[in-house]
Amino acid sequence: MKKLFLLPLLVFALGKSSKAQNANWRDQVTNQKSLHFSVGTQGVGAEFAYGVLPKMSLRLGANIIPVSADNVFSVSGFNANSKMSANFSNIHLLADFIPFKSAPGFRLVGGAGYFINAKGNIAVQPKDNYTYGDIVLNNEEVGNLNMNVNWRGFAPYAGIGLLKPFSNRTFNVNLDLGTYFLKQPDANITASGILSGNTSQSAQLQQNLKGYRFLPVVQLNFNFRIQ
Amino acid sequence: MIMENIKKLLFVLLLLSGACKKPTEDLKIVVDTNVIKYTALIHVTDASNPEAVLKSGTLSVSGDNADDIYEISGNKQFNINNGVITIGPGPAAVPLAGKPETYSVQVKVPGYNTVSKSISFAADQKQQVVDVSLSKAGTVNSAPVIQKPLPVYDPVSLNFTGTCSSSPDLVIRPSMYVFFRETGSGTVYQYLGYMESGNMTATALKKGETYDFQVTYDGQNYGTTQQINNESESLTINMGSAICNNF
């Protein structure tokens, strides 16, 4: 946590030290163009950035992330494997605003994204050789259980940017910290076999997930200036 | 001042991302017991006194495919308890349309003559009740079993939820034959009906009365008591180790 707080301090100091070299920093933003390639909590992405005003630039881009993890869900006394997966992809339009003359490397960032794909899934599959008394059940008889969540739709974004949006040279790096505010998710449970009764818990899952609307963004951008 | 604001913003971002409820909070794993989908309730009574409770006995199965038959808890031990046992073919031996499978069962209760009965499982009949009347050893009594008729009232929906004390996150939806009696009556349990995945509708229950409900499997009785006040009642029944240990 301490390290995280030190990072903006460092950035702020960098902004101050380079002030003299960037006396005309306002002029450098307008009409500047660059291509960004990003990696972070949103996965990988690409953006085109353009300086529209002395203090403001716009970014149009897209991100995609497929992730999965095993055995994130367990139930006392129930012998099963579980797998969590999430798929998010969006297109977004963001505005970077530089509020302080003394810190050209600090930006306020706002905008919105449309999540073409924003799905989460937890799949629970009982382990092999499941028995009911002396009866050995096959996979179809046991069945499976899937918890599905979907946030597809528009989402506003707010955050900050650290390090300058455009470089005086060909290449620079900057950082985004922020969050998307996703729409309230649609959640349901599908199940089969002896687990088919779990579909009755869809309403409870929806209730549990209704607060899951923030998609935090910590993103490192690699920027290439377009002449 | 600017640094303070940045710190505050970062703190809020971190807080928001971790402020949510656990996704699986209050969720249980619901498991159905309808592994054996074709069942026969064998109800054994004393021919001379149908009100007498036959405490214990055993059942044996013979026939070409006798190995396919299980007690309803999935076990191969066929113990009769309180005159009740439920059997059926395992999921690998479900009856095909037009080809019923017939088995012979032998009912043995100490102090009574052994009786053999033929039971068929057909694709178009998932549940059946087979009454077996036993005469006391050394006597002959071929009188048919006459069950006391059930009263008829407004239908009541009963929703049974099975619990497991060893696995609090498990919920069982039992599919079993249910018996009942008025609480405190001291009478024998009467057959009420079959509950499918925990649900059944009964017309023999009077509003305002309190009843004991009982299911029997693996040679054990499991019961609960409920006063009937509404058109739909929810009941909880502890399923015991024979079912709970399967999961």
Side-chain angles (χ1 to χ4, degrees):
Chain A
M1 183 66 89
K2 254 187 173 176
K3 284 179 183 172
L4 201 57
F5 283 144
L6 284 174
L7 185 59
L9 185 64
L10 178 66
V11 170
F12 186 57
L14 283 173
K16 281 211 154 196
S17 68
S18 59
K19 184 183 173 187
Q21 297 166 16
N22 294 293
N24 297 321
W25 63 272
R26 292 181 183 184
D27 298 330
Q28 290 172 5
V29 173
T30 309
N31 293 327
Q32 292 245 20
K33 298 186 282 289
S34 65
L35 270 182
H36 300 183
F37 296 97
S38 59
V39 61
T41 55
Q42 285 196 101
V44 294
E47 291 172 331
F48 171 71
Y50 180 69
V52 291
L53 292 170
K55 289 182 176 180
M56 193 170 87
S57 60
L58 295 177
R59 282 187 273 162
L60 179 66
N63 284 87
I64 184 167
I65 183 168
V67 292
S68 65
D70 290 330
N71 295 321
V72 292
F73 177 68
S74 64
V75 175
S76 149
F78 189 71
N79 196 19
N81 291 318
S82 69
K83 182 171 186 172
M84 188 275 294
S85 64
N87 284 286
F88 284 80
S89 58
N90 72 59
I91 51 174
H92 56 261
L93 179 64
L94 304 178
D96 291 82
F97 177 70
I98 302 169
F100 308 114
K101 263 196 239 181
S102 56
F106 176 74
R107 292 165 284 126
L108 295 175
V109 186
Y114 180 76
F115 283 79
I116 304 156
N117 197 8
K119 290 178 183 171
N121 170 269
I122 298 174
V124 179
Q125 171 76 58
K127 289 183 177 171
D128 290 342
N129 299 325
Y130 224 80
T131 58
Y132 180 80
D134 294 326
I135 302 170
V136 179
L137 302 177
N138 62 33
N139 286 346
E140 188 183 341
E141 287 156 356
V142 177
N144 55 42
L145 186 161
N146 284 283
M147 299 179 196
N148 311 299
V149 194
N150 195 344
W151 290 270
R152 182 180 169 146
F154 279 101
Y157 175 87
I160 59 170
L162 304 174
L163 298 173
K164 290 194 297 179
F166 298 102
S167 170
N168 294 336
R169 299 172 185 166
T170 310
F171 172 76
N172 79 330
V173 174
N174 62 20
L175 189 68
D176 277 305
L177 300 171
T179 183
Y180 280 101
F181 186 62
L182 304 169
K183 78 177 199 56
Q184 196 162 307
D186 296 321
N188 67 67
I189 297 177
T190 57
S192 63
I194 62 171
L195 299 173
S196 58
N198 288 281
T199 55
S200 62
Q201 299 190 96
S202 289
Q204 182 63 51
L205 181 65
Q206 175 93 37
Q207 175 71 17
N208 290 353
L209 293 175
K210 72 177 184 184
Y212 277 74
R213 301 182 66 177
F214 292 96
L215 179 65
V217 173
V218 178
Q219 181 171 288
L220 194 60
N221 303 306
F222 303 93
N223 310 326
F224 297 88
R225 185 177 177 182
I226 300 172
Q227 297 299 329
Chain B
M1 186 64 177
I2 296 169
M3 274 312 299
E4 279 303 307
N5 289 335
I6 294 171
K7 279 185 181 178
K8 281 178 188 170
L9 186 58
L10 276 172
F11 179 72
V12 168
L13 288 175
L14 288 170
L15 194 67
L16 287 175
S17 63
C20 295
K21 202 173 174 181
K22 194 180 169 192
T24 54
E25 196 167 314
D26 296 328
L27 287 181
K28 309 277 187 185
I29 288 286
V30 181
V31 182
D32 287 349
T33 64
N34 60 349
V35 171
I36 300 171
K37 297 187 188 303
Y38 293 82
T39 55
L41 167 71
I42 299 169
H43 191 199
V44 187
T45 53
D46 182 330
S48 61
N49 179 14
E51 295 291 310
V53 176
L54 301 180
K55 286 289 179 191
S56 62
T58 57
L59 180 138
S60 57
V61 184
S62 56
D64 290 343
N65 300 311
D67 286 347
D68 293 338
I69 299 295
Y70 295 86
E71 198 271 333
I72 197 167
S73 62
N75 292 313
K76 277 286 186 186
Q77 291 171 331
F78 300 103
N79 294 317
I80 300 167
N81 190 38
N82 280 11
V84 172
I85 185 170
T86 304
I87 62 169
V94 294
L96 301 173
K99 289 185 178 176
E101 289 283 344
T102 301
Y103 305 86
S104 176
V105 297
Q106 266 201 333
V107 178
K108 292 179 186 172
V109 174
Y112 291 85
N113 294 318
T114 298
V115 166
S116 290
K117 194 112 181 172
S118 179
I119 296 177
S120 291
F121 293 97
D124 59 354
Q125 188 183 18
K126 287 198 168 181
Q127 289 90 39
Q128 59 183 305
V129 179
V130 178
D131 288 311
V132 177
S133 178
L134 300 184
S135 56
K136 287 200 169 138
T139 67
V140 177
N141 190 335
S142 58
V145 177
I146 300 170
Q147 294 292 341
K148 187 176 156 188
L150 294 177
V152 179
Y153 302 104
D154 290 338
V156 176
S157 172
L158 302 176
N159 308 299
F160 288 85
T161 298
T163 60
C164 295
S165 50
S166 57
S167 303
D169 289 339
L170 264 184
V171 168
I172 307 289
R173 294 202 310 176
S175 293
M176 290 171 183
Y177 296 87
V178 181
F179 285 73
F180 81 116
R181 70 178 178 191
E182 276 185 44
T183 302
S185 66
T187 58
V188 292
Y189 281 87
Q190 278 187 284
Y191 173 60
L192 180 64
Y194 182 82
M195 64 169 152
E196 177 81 47
S197 298
N199 297 313
M200 67 180 296
T201 300
T203 55
L205 305 173
K206 187 179 180 183
K207 280 190 182 165
E209 293 287 346
T210 303
Y211 295 94
D212 300 328
F213 298 91
Q214 184 172 275
V215 293
T216 302
Y217 49 86
D218 196 40
Q220 299 286 324
N221 299 319
Y222 300 90
T224 187
T225 299
Q226 179 73 34
Q227 187 174 38
I228 305 300
N229 294 315
N230 305 297
E231 288 177 2
S232 178
E233 295 286 353
S234 297
L235 301 88
T236 302
I237 189 164
N238 190 321
M239 300 301 291
S241 58
I243 293 290
C244 293
N245 287 355
N246 286 329
F247 309 105

